[in-house]
Amino acid sequence: MKYSDTITHDTMKLHKRLKLAIILLIAMLPYIACANDSIRIAKRDSILSEITGAQMPQKSLEILSFGAKGDGKKDCKPAFDKAMKRASQMGGARIIVPSGEYLLNGPIHFVSNVCLELQEGATLKFSPDPHYYLPVVKTSWEGTFLQNYSPFIYGYQLKNISITGKGTIDGNAGTTFATWKSQQKKGQQLSRDMNHKEVPIEERNFGEGFYLRPQLIQFFDCKNITIEGVFITNAPFWCIHLLKSENIICRNIRYDAKLVNNDGIDPEYTRNLLIENIEFNNGDDNVAIKCGRDNDGWSTNRPSENIIIRKCKFKGLHGVVLGSEMSSGVQNIFIENCTYGGYCKRGIYMKTNPDRGGFLRNIYVNNCQFGEVEDLFYVTSMYAGEGMDNNHYSEVCNIYVKDISCKKASAAAIVLQGTVAKPIHHVTFENVNVDKAGIGLSFSNTETISIKNCNLGGYVGIPSTASQKDNLFNKDK
């Protein structure tokens, strides 16, 4: 046998093996899909097993016994301060707030092992006067660590803290903080400059004159948190900011928070978080998962991860957002069994740009329904057109979308916008159904995208057959 005959024979054998492998792969596709579902469920359940929320204290204190009065007139901040101090001395307690309106001229600062129980009919109504929220505390603003006005409910480096009950938290911020956005540019830009120059955080002092609005609730570097049942309204800025915290349950919260930038829940550098059965009605993003801005994010190097969002009703600007402050990365996010309570501009929105770096990966979206949106599912690595002359490209990959739908996407059903330097890659869409869509698909700078059983803009049935109605010969007249 000649050498050339040997090469030909070996090549034919290789081709046969490749053909057989392809046939086997095609035959196995349904089972691979099932395996992917199994992997997703196992991964999700493993995360759930780590999430317990706060341990609830057994002892209790009545806020009225510390001088509080639910008449909406008396300043109850001293009573809450005394109750927190007493609870700390006891090693923890449930602070019970009965029905009534409790004026607070200043913030509530939590201590460890405390449950603030707002009973039905109880309202915490905070003063809108900014000077009550000084002196400044360690916090973060739009992804930059700094010192600013105290959040209205604040905890730093605590454990086992909770807010429960059917009562109301009213930020009452409409007359002051809600008017500040037009004046924040100076402080916002200074904070970003300090971030980029890596100025020590203790020198990043803001507060009066900078107009950076505080969050309504912020737990910073805390463990074992539960927020359950309460009604939230009129926040000065973001409603719930979970910063560098872990092991958290947010459940059965209700919102009517429509002031400027009233995001519902903002996890940042946060891990092991369950968000479930929430009724959103917010003036901004319902859930916005963040992870630091630029230099602060890179140096912190702690991704937001292991977050499960399920059985929620979305209403507001966007349902779930990842980014754009995400320089430490976001991974292992599960969004499932959610629906809508009203209009959202976008259903699921992932955004970054070449200023940010970091990554968005291992994102699972399953069984979610929306009504009318502008865009159903939008991923961009060019958010706001910023950073296009920079080179901190984000890795965006491993996104799995299955069984999601909406009635109408006025702009587009599915959008993926990568960059030439870092294409978006390994994204799977299965059973995505949009009744009406301005544009079905718009993909740019993408690789390894899979689409299966998707109807974007309606379902096309059996094709029509030729008939006289086609009027073929008069079409060109």
Side-chain angles (χ1 to χ4, degrees):
M1 183 181 290
K2 296 181 180 177
Y3 177 73
S4 59
D5 292 337
T6 303
I7 295 293
T8 302
H9 180 70
D10 289 344
T11 303
M12 289 175 65
K13 286 173 64 178
L14 180 60
H15 284 171
K16 286 180 180 179
R17 288 173 182 169
L18 285 172
K19 186 176 180 180
L20 180 60
I22 291 168
I23 291 169
L24 288 171
L25 180 60
I26 292 170
M28 288 295 293
L29 281 175
Y31 304 98
I32 292 170
C34 291
N36 285 339
D37 274 345
S38 298
I39 292 168
R40 171 182 62 84
I41 291 167
K43 191 173 184 180
R44 179 202 65 196
D45 290 350
S46 175
I47 293 167
L48 281 171
S49 70
E50 299 294 321
I51 301 174
T52 63
Q55 294 180 13
M56 296 298 172
Q58 299 301 311
K59 300 174 184 177
S60 64
L61 300 169
E62 294 277 351
I63 194 65
L64 298 181
S65 66
F66 292 89
K69 193 171 182 180
D71 62 359
K73 297 177 182 179
K74 181 178 181 180
D75 177 19
C76 297
K77 175 174 167 54
F80 280 89
D81 289 346
K82 291 174 185 176
M84 287 288 174
K85 183 176 181 180
R86 179 65 181 130
S88 180
Q89 292 168 347
M90 295 166 59
R94 185 187 301 266
I95 299 175
I96 299 172
V97 183
S99 179
E101 183 178 293
Y102 299 85
L103 174 65
L104 285 143
N105 289 336
I108 294 173
H109 284 189
F110 259 74
V111 297
S112 289
N113 304 309
V114 164
C115 172
L116 183 61
E117 181 181 317
L118 304 180
Q119 295 187 337
E120 190 166 7
T123 296
L124 302 182
K125 193 162 188 176
F126 288 89
S127 169
D129 189 335
H131 85 266
Y132 286 130
Y133 302 94
L134 294 171
V136 297
V137 299
K138 292 180 180 179
T139 182
S140 172
W141 203 84
E142 287 192 345
T144 294
F145 292 114
L146 44 72
Q147 299 183 105
N148 192 33
Y149 289 101
S150 173
F152 289 12
I153 297 177
Y154 177 73
Y156 179 64
Q157 293 186 337
L158 306 176
K159 63 181 181 179
N160 293 317
I161 49 179
S162 55
I163 303 171
T164 66
K166 295 184 178 180
T168 296
I169 302 172
D170 185 352
N172 190 30
T175 59
T176 53
F177 295 102
T179 70
W180 281 11
K181 187 169 184 177
S182 63
Q183 303 174 78
Q184 75 183 23
K185 191 65 179 178
K186 172 187 171 183
Q188 181 187 57
Q189 190 56 53
L190 179 60
S191 73
R192 293 177 182 181
D193 290 344
M194 289 179 164
N195 179 333
H196 295 155
K197 293 175 182 177
E198 301 184 354
V199 172
I201 294 171
E202 57 270 19
E203 297 177 20
R204 303 180 189 183
N205 294 309
F206 289 79
E208 191 171 6
F210 292 97
Y211 299 99
L212 301 185
R213 294 159 286 157
Q215 299 83 359
L216 180 65
I217 301 169
Q218 183 186 82
F219 293 131
F220 180 1
D221 197 12
C222 295
K223 294 181 179 180
N224 312 336
I225 301 166
T226 297
I227 305 174
E228 183 168 6
V230 293
F231 178 78
I232 292 175
T233 189
N234 299 321
F237 188 47
W238 299 346
C239 294
I240 298 174
H241 187 202
L242 303 167
L243 179 63
K244 288 187 73 177
S245 294
E246 61 184 275
N247 186 22
I248 306 164
I249 296 173
C250 293
R251 178 187 287 135
N252 297 330
I253 303 166
R254 298 152 293 133
Y255 288 90
D256 185 15
K258 298 173 184 173
L259 298 182
V260 182
N261 300 125
N262 275 190
D263 290 7
I265 302 173
D266 291 73
E268 185 169 13
Y269 305 110
T270 284
R271 62 170 67 103
N272 293 345
L273 164 63
L274 172 61
I275 298 171
E276 69 176 352
N277 294 320
I278 311 290
E279 292 190 14
F280 292 100
N281 185 10
N282 295 74
D284 212 302
D285 301 332
N286 291 180
V287 179
I289 302 173
K290 302 174 181 291
C291 208
R293 186 183 188 94
D294 305 346
N295 297 60
D296 276 7
W298 303 328
S299 61
T300 303
N301 191 27
R302 170 179 166 151
S304 286
E305 61 185 347
N306 304 344
I307 297 173
I308 298 165
I309 303 165
R310 65 184 185 185
K311 301 177 184 178
C312 293
K313 281 188 176 181
F314 299 125
K315 183 180 180 182
L317 182 60
H318 303 124
V320 179
V321 176
L322 280 60
S324 68
E325 302 95 346
M326 39 65 68
S327 297
S328 257
V330 175
Q331 64 185 1
N332 304 335
I333 309 299
F334 299 79
I335 307 163
E336 58 188 32
N337 303 326
C338 293
T339 186
Y340 61 97
Y343 178 79
C344 290
K345 181 181 174 73
R346 294 191 177 94
I348 310 297
Y349 190 22
M350 306 181 199
K351 52 184 182 177
T352 181
N353 62 44
D355 282 339
R356 295 287 173 267
F359 52 81
L360 301 172
R361 65 190 182 203
N362 303 339
I363 315 299
Y364 303 87
V365 184
N366 290 80
N367 191 32
C368 294
Q369 294 81 42
F370 292 88
E372 181 174 343
V373 296
E374 185 173 302
D375 307 293
L376 176 60
F377 191 91
Y378 201 121
V379 185
T380 182
S381 296
M382 301 184 290
Y383 175 61
E386 296 174 350
M388 302 316 294
D389 58 348
N390 212 332
N391 60 1
H392 297 293
Y393 300 104
S394 304
E395 181 85 7
V396 182
C397 64
N398 301 342
I399 300 170
Y400 307 92
V401 182
K402 184 178 180 182
D403 297 328
I404 71 168
S405 65
C406 74
K407 294 179 180 178
K408 181 179 179 181
S410 60
I414 301 174
V415 181
L416 301 179
Q417 297 173 337
T419 60
V420 173
K422 280 270 188 175
I424 294 170
H425 63 93
H426 290 93
V427 183
T428 298
F429 297 99
E430 183 176 353
N431 299 339
V432 179
N433 291 290
V434 178
D435 294 345
K436 295 181 180 179
I439 296 172
L441 295 174
S442 179
F443 293 171
S444 56
N445 298 314
T446 60
E447 295 177 355
T448 320
I449 310 299
S450 172
I451 301 174
K452 179 181 178 182
N453 295 336
C454 296
N455 296 286
L456 309 176
Y459 177 79
V460 178
I462 298 170
S464 62
T465 57
S467 72
Q468 290 183 350
K469 293 180 181 179
D470 293 326
N471 200 18
L472 298 178
F473 301 108
N474 292 318
K475 295 294 185 184
D476 296 327
K477 293 181 180 179

